[in-house]
Amino acid sequence: MTKHYMLKILVCAVLFSLVFVSCNGHKEEYHSVMERIEAESEDYHGVTLSSEKYLEELKSIEITEGDFTFLIPERKSQIKSYACTECHTKSLNELQDSNIGKKAHWDISIVHANENIMNCATCHNINDMDNLKSLTNKRIDFNNSYNLCSQCHTKQFNDWKGGAHGKNIGGWAPPRAALTCVNCHNPHEPHFESRWPARFNTQKVKERE
Ligand code: HEC
Ligand code: HEC
Ligand code: HEC
Ligand code: HEC
């Protein structure tokens, strides 16, 4: 009985060390998946794979977050009412007084977290409107608004950095470029409704018969 047991343990140990050694061997060659893709896509059957032709039209910025460096679309030139300081040179009170009539941002209401958690000043700095702000009052550039989201949505942020949430532009060929949070989510109303696949509605047909 015990002999059997010892044998099993021995076999396991050998298998384990085999796996361990082979993994380690690979690790020495490449430090990350991206590194491996980059290295192996150079001169692939005489063709160099690159996402560059998909990025020609894109005004992008390079970011480095932890171990990941990639491109995301530049944002500020895309925001309709940027620069905010075209109007926000006076205090809010003064602006509100001088603005009798239609509310300036009538089309923006928060459908995100409830009002005990979040209001305009959670993300916008009333005294520095051209920048966003963190929960601890650190300045966040509008181009890097993913740093705003990442404070509360850590899981999606980590997935996004690695390429598991969101979308790469131009596939996985280097240089890597990905859409940023606000390209898909409206920060004021970020939720997407779940959608079911279209299907033939047999219930409706029955009701009509
Ligand atoms: C065309 C002028 C104009 C521009 C551009 C503008 N704002 Fe405003 N904003 C106003 C006025 C006027 C108010 C005062 C309150 C009102 O009328 O709703 C205001 C109020 C606000 C408030 C307070 C709303 C509230 O209910 O307390 C926030 C936050 C704000 N603006 C953010 C921004 C940001 C961020 C930008 C730039 C991305 C921006 N605004 C650009 C005119 C402007
Ligand atoms: C969860 C954070 C968050 C909250 C809360 C928030 N905003 Fe914003 N807001 C953003 C971000 C991020 C952007 C930039 C979006 C982009 O890049 O398109 C933005 C953009 C804007 C803009 C520019 C929109 C445009 O297209 O010109 C205005 C104006 C604005 N916010 C006003 C407000 C007002 C007023 C409130 C409160 C009613 C508010 N925001 C609440 C994060 C927030
Ligand atoms: C201060 C914390 C905070 C910040 C900053 C913040 N969120 Fe949220 N967000 C929340 C909370 C709280 C909810 C509601 C969660 C729920 O209902 O389960 C939420 C809900 C969401 C949802 C809907 C979740 C669902 O289940 O459908 C999305 C998408 C989202 N946020 C994206 C963003 C994006 C993008 C940004 C940056 C522009 C951002 N959030 C910034 C706290 C935050
Ligand atoms: C290419 C578009 C795209 C980008 C970029 C993107 N998201 Fe999403 N996100 C989605 C879609 C689509 C869903 C809805 C998934 C579903 O309902 O199953 C979603 C869902 C979410 C949710 C709801 C919870 C969940 O996981 O289903 C949160 C929170 C969220 N995203 C936050 C973020 C943050 C933070 C970023 C940036 C770091 C980001 N997203 C970038 C498309 C995107």
Side-chain angles (χ1 to χ4, degrees):
M1 217 35 184
T2 40
K3 234 184 187 175
H4 242 111
Y5 218 73
M6 292 296 279
L7 196 68
K8 268 190 191 159
I9 288 174
L10 192 71
V11 169
C12 283
V14 168
L15 279 178
F16 180 78
S17 60
L18 269 180
V19 169
F20 192 72
V21 166
S22 64
C23 281
N24 241 13
H26 224 104
K27 264 197 190 137
E28 270 163 32
E29 214 172 327
Y30 304 113
H31 292 98
S32 72
V33 181
M34 289 313 293
E35 204 172 286
R36 181 169 172 195
I37 293 174
E38 236 156 84
E40 292 185 5
S41 54
E42 264 169 38
D43 199 27
Y44 176 80
H45 296 298
V47 191
T48 303
L49 294 181
S50 165
S51 64
E52 251 148 23
K53 76 170 178 190
Y54 302 103
L55 308 179
E56 272 165 11
E57 309 269 287
L58 183 75
K59 202 173 157 203
S60 58
I61 55 165
E62 189 180 89
I63 60 162
T64 297
E65 290 296 326
D67 294 340
F68 301 94
T69 295
F70 54 102
L71 301 167
I72 59 170
E74 184 275 343
R75 201 57 206 157
K76 284 193 254 193
S77 66
Q78 304 299 312
I79 301 174
K80 215 175 3 124
S81 47
Y82 199 84
C84 316
T85 44
E86 280 168 30
C87 301
H88 286 277
T89 44
K90 292 185 263 176
S91 75
L92 266 187
N93 280 339
E94 282 175 284
L95 271 179
Q96 267 150 358
D97 286 345
S98 63
N99 194 46
I100 318 157
K102 201 167 160 192
K103 244 179 135 257
H105 306 301
W106 59 272
D107 53 339
I108 295 177
S109 51
I110 305 177
V111 191
H112 191 160
N114 72 52
E115 61 196 23
N116 294 325
I117 302 179
M118 192 183 274
N119 60 33
C120 311
T122 309
C123 306
H124 295 289
N125 187 345
I126 305 301
N127 302 312
D128 174 21
M129 214 51 118
D130 283 343
N131 290 288
L132 297 158
K133 72 167 192 57
S134 78
L135 298 171
T136 52
N137 268 319
K138 300 239 161 60
R139 175 185 279 190
I140 298 174
D141 194 284
F142 270 91
N143 278 340
N144 302 102
S145 57
Y146 59 84
N147 278 329
L148 181 72
C149 319
S150 68
Q151 301 175 102
C152 306
H153 301 293
T154 318
K155 182 181 169 291
Q156 286 77 15
F157 173 62
N158 285 331
D159 287 351
W160 174 74
K161 278 191 294 187
H165 188 104
K167 188 180 188 333
N168 278 351
I169 315 165
W172 284 95
R176 178 182 163 207
L179 293 177
T180 186
C181 314
V182 290
N183 288 127
C184 300
H185 296 285
N186 177 341
H188 307 126
E189 216 174 327
H191 175 72
F192 288 117
E193 285 310 319
S194 302
R195 291 171 64 180
W196 294 98
R199 63 188 175 122
F200 184 61
N201 193 335
T202 48
Q203 188 61 36
K204 218 169 183 176
V205 172
K206 265 191 216 144
E207 279 163 8
R208 281 188 184 162
E209 271 169 0

